[in-house]
Amino acid sequence: MKQRTRKRIVIIGAGSAGLCMGVQLKKAGIDDFVILEKGGGIGGTWWRNSYPGAECDVQSHLYSFSFAQKNDWSKPFAGQAEILEYLNRIADTYGLRAHIQLNSPVRSVHWQGESAHWRVGTESGEEFEAHVVVSALGMFNNLVWPSIPGREDFQGTAFHSACWDHSHDLTGKRVGVIGIAASAIQFVPEIAPQVEQLCLFQRTANWVVPKGNTPYTPEQLEHFRQNPSAVRENRAEIYQTWNTLCTFNDKKVLAEIERAGLEQLAVVEDPEVRRKLTPNHPFGCKRPLFSDVYYPVFNRPNVELLTETIEKITPHSIVTRDGQARELDTIIYSTGFETTTYLTALDVIGRDGLRLNDAWSDGAQAYLGMTTSGFPNLFMLYGPNTNQGSILFMLERQCDYIMRQLKRLGDERLAWMDIRPDVMRDFNDQLQRDISAVDVWQADCGNDFYYRSRSGRFVTNWPHSMDEFTARTTQPDREVYEVQVVN
């Protein structure tokens, strides 16, 4: 028999979501929980993604928790190191370190019907029994590697941008970057002055719009430190902007953003390069990108933009369909994550042997993005269709909702609660209808499964405002659950 540790609650992941859940449990006086983290440090995506220039695309006065306001962010959109420091400070301030178990990747989550608990197994063979499991995996788990003939044959240095090889000095190297999107537009301006030659292999042009990330002056920082209300006021203003922007229904605002993007693109001197960088789809069709320093890179003599399809990779080069070979020392794959996988990244089995992979055969779906029928006492943070505005704001709303369900489990002595199939179906049917009304998401822009599962189901973004998500997650919904009282 394997030794099993019993915990009231198991949280999977010690990123922003897992930390937020841990804080709320501690505030409620609940200490019987463990946070299992696969990595060697806390912070989730901000611990793993340490590539040069990594920073947030939401202003930090909003990309921070309401219960942990920071008044001295160094610039409007904080960088990776500053965000990681902030998250570590939260772990220390709220006493979460003792609950976090690092280097503990979860392998399986199996429901035990007779005893009404979850059995959680790690890669090391350790097992936990829990009344409740909270998944804080989010969207960015499994890396995407392109299917290019010869990829394994390359004899130079190759790595994914999400696993940056800091031991590899790029100085004077001939570097190829495959995949030009969210990560690449941040690290490319950082490495371009350092390398001998930089070949950027672009499949689809993206909108890259102005960011406005000039660091705060000492005077501004002192003003924020001395006047916390100024930070709260700025947070409220930022909130209102994102509250409507990510619904993509204000055509005047979207047109202005596109105008600003094209104006910024005009800095590229070569008209042919500028043409290749010009998107042919509406802003919002793909993940919006923000940068003030990306386009000037293309005026450098050592930077080449390539839009021909890659045919193969040889031991020393990348060959495009036109037969041209670029000799390279280093290849950086900036090809992102399997954003539509969510909790199916693990082996999850619910009631009556139902596998989550089977329940989600048509794509990930859940009630309010947090709970799926057939999987009692299992809640998800940053689950299907919860990506909108500032995810940290959305996470707080989700944690509040889960805490209410935990209270109900205790107050009513429930063995388990499970969202009714008809409720989840009706919710998701309406959600997909609402998504179909967002026209920019229906345009053809080669989303390549960032927004949609392979079935075509749109499974990432929340199509309404953050206000609407707050309203939906705070309304009474006792009747939507099937429950079983403890015998």
Side-chain angles (χ1 to χ4, degrees):
M1 291 288 293
K2 295 180 180 178
Q3 182 177 357
R4 299 192 182 103
T5 302
R6 294 189 65 87
K7 291 288 182 181
R8 179 178 175 185
I9 301 162
V10 167
I11 300 170
I12 306 173
S16 301
L19 296 177
C20 185
M21 192 70 227
V23 168
Q24 299 310 319
L25 291 174
K26 296 287 281 188
K27 285 184 173 182
I30 300 173
D31 287 305
D32 188 13
F33 69 92
V34 65
I35 303 176
L36 301 177
E37 167 56 46
K38 70 177 179 180
I42 72 166
T45 189
W46 297 110
W47 182 80
R48 291 189 294 273
N49 288 266
S50 59
Y51 57 81
E55 64 184 20
C56 192
D57 281 342
V58 175
Q59 296 94 323
S60 293
H61 287 167
L62 181 60
Y63 193 86
S64 50
F65 292 117
S66 64
F67 56 80
Q69 177 176 293
K70 175 176 162 63
N71 299 327
D72 58 351
W73 291 104
S74 63
K75 52 186 179 180
F77 300 83
Q80 176 262 346
E82 194 170 8
I83 296 172
L84 188 60
E85 179 186 15
Y86 170 77
L87 295 174
N88 273 274
R89 190 180 307 162
I90 287 175
D92 293 330
T93 300
Y94 291 92
L96 297 181
R97 296 280 182 189
H99 297 273
I100 299 173
Q101 188 169 308
L102 300 175
N103 300 306
S104 300
V106 172
R107 179 189 69 250
S108 59
V109 183
H110 294 172
W111 176 248
Q112 310 299 307
E114 291 184 2
S115 53
H117 71 267
W118 287 99
R119 184 172 296 166
V120 180
T122 68
E123 293 287 352
S124 66
E126 188 175 11
E127 288 191 345
F128 294 82
E129 291 184 352
H131 188 210
V132 173
V133 169
V134 179
S135 167
L137 292 183
M139 289 171 56
F140 306 110
N141 298 296
N142 297 332
L143 302 181
V144 169
W145 295 92
S147 298
I148 301 174
R151 184 169 67 84
E152 301 297 332
D153 298 331
F154 185 67
Q155 294 181 8
T157 299
F159 54 88
H160 197 287
S161 59
C163 303
W164 195 271
D165 185 354
H166 291 279
S167 68
H168 180 62
D169 186 2
L170 293 174
T171 303
K173 298 293 194 301
R174 298 167 300 175
V175 179
V177 176
I178 298 177
I180 309 299
S183 300
I185 69 160
Q186 294 185 339
F187 71 73
V188 161
E190 299 292 320
I191 68 173
Q194 181 183 4
V195 305
E196 176 186 320
Q197 182 68 27
L198 186 57
C199 299
L200 305 178
F201 294 86
Q202 172 187 281
R203 185 166 53 181
T204 306
N206 290 283
W207 283 101
V208 182
V209 300
K211 190 166 189 175
N213 201 24
T214 302
Y216 292 121
T217 65
E219 292 76 19
Q220 287 174 310
L221 286 173
E222 185 61 22
H223 174 70
F224 287 140
R225 292 190 190 101
Q226 297 300 322
N227 301 277
S229 62
V231 175
R232 290 192 293 272
E233 291 170 4
N234 193 36
R235 177 185 174 94
E237 292 174 3
I238 296 167
Y239 176 90
Q240 289 306 323
T241 297
W242 283 100
N243 193 43
T244 55
L245 174 60
C246 281
T247 61
F248 297 101
N249 59 12
D250 191 323
K251 301 304 180 185
K252 184 177 180 181
V253 169
L254 296 180
E256 176 58 25
I257 290 173
E258 290 189 1
R259 184 202 62 77
L262 293 174
E263 186 176 273
Q264 183 168 256
L265 177 58
V267 72
V268 178
E269 296 165 358
D270 187 314
E272 179 60 16
V273 173
R274 193 164 61 243
R275 182 190 66 79
K276 291 179 178 179
L277 289 169
T278 302
N280 59 5
H281 53 78
F283 176 81
C285 181
K286 296 174 72 70
R287 175 181 173 178
L289 306 179
F290 305 86
S291 175
D292 302 320
V293 296
Y294 177 62
Y295 286 134
V297 164
F298 294 95
N299 295 329
R300 298 184 59 88
N302 67 329
V303 175
E304 181 181 14
L305 177 66
L306 299 148
T307 56
E308 283 283 340
T309 301
I310 296 175
E311 183 175 90
K312 64 180 178 179
I313 296 175
T314 75
H316 303 288
S317 69
I318 293 178
V319 180
T320 49
R321 186 174 293 172
D322 59 2
Q324 296 293 312
R326 268 73 182 183
E327 299 289 324
L328 300 169
D329 306 300
T330 305
I331 296 177
I332 302 173
Y333 294 94
S334 180
T335 42
F337 301 84
E338 295 178 4
T339 54
T340 63
T341 303
Y342 296 104
L343 192 50
T344 56
L346 309 180
D347 175 29
V348 182
I349 302 177
R351 292 169 64 185
D352 302 320
L354 176 63
R355 291 186 174 275
L356 188 59
N357 265 316
D358 294 331
W360 285 359
S361 60
D362 189 40
Q365 49 192 297
Y367 175 67
L368 295 173
M370 287 183 277
T371 183
T372 295
S373 181
F375 299 85
N377 296 1
L378 174 63
F379 300 96
M380 290 168 281
L381 297 169
Y382 205 172
N385 297 111
T386 60
N387 191 42
Q388 216 279 15
S390 171
I391 190 58
L392 268 65
F393 175 87
M394 298 287 280
L395 287 173
E396 285 196 64
R397 305 291 74 75
Q398 293 164 47
C399 287
D400 288 346
Y401 181 88
I402 294 171
M403 289 303 298
R404 288 195 295 275
Q405 309 316 314
L406 294 179
K407 186 175 186 303
R408 183 182 178 190
L409 282 169
D411 289 350
E412 300 180 20
R413 298 188 71 249
L414 299 179
W416 51 262
M417 59 194 307
D418 191 4
I419 196 71
R420 286 171 25 206
D422 60 314
V423 170
M424 195 184 81
R425 182 184 61 250
D426 291 348
F427 172 83
N428 279 278
D429 286 350
Q430 183 60 52
L431 187 69
Q432 292 301 312
R433 287 193 290 271
D434 295 344
I435 286 169
S436 67
V438 182
D439 55 1
V440 297
W441 290 342
Q442 315 312 315
D444 181 10
C445 56
N447 270 325
D448 297 329
F449 309 118
Y450 182 84
Y451 288 151
R452 298 181 185 275
S453 67
R454 295 190 179 278
S455 70
R457 188 182 191 90
F458 197 106
V459 299
T460 53
N461 287 11
W462 174 248
H464 306 294
S465 66
M466 290 185 284
D467 281 349
E468 179 64 18
F469 189 78
T470 300
R472 299 278 190 97
T473 55
T474 53
Q475 65 185 8
D477 61 357
R478 290 173 53 85
E479 73 286 351
V480 304
Y481 285 95
E482 176 186 357
V483 301
Q484 177 66 55
V485 178
V486 174
N487 293 328

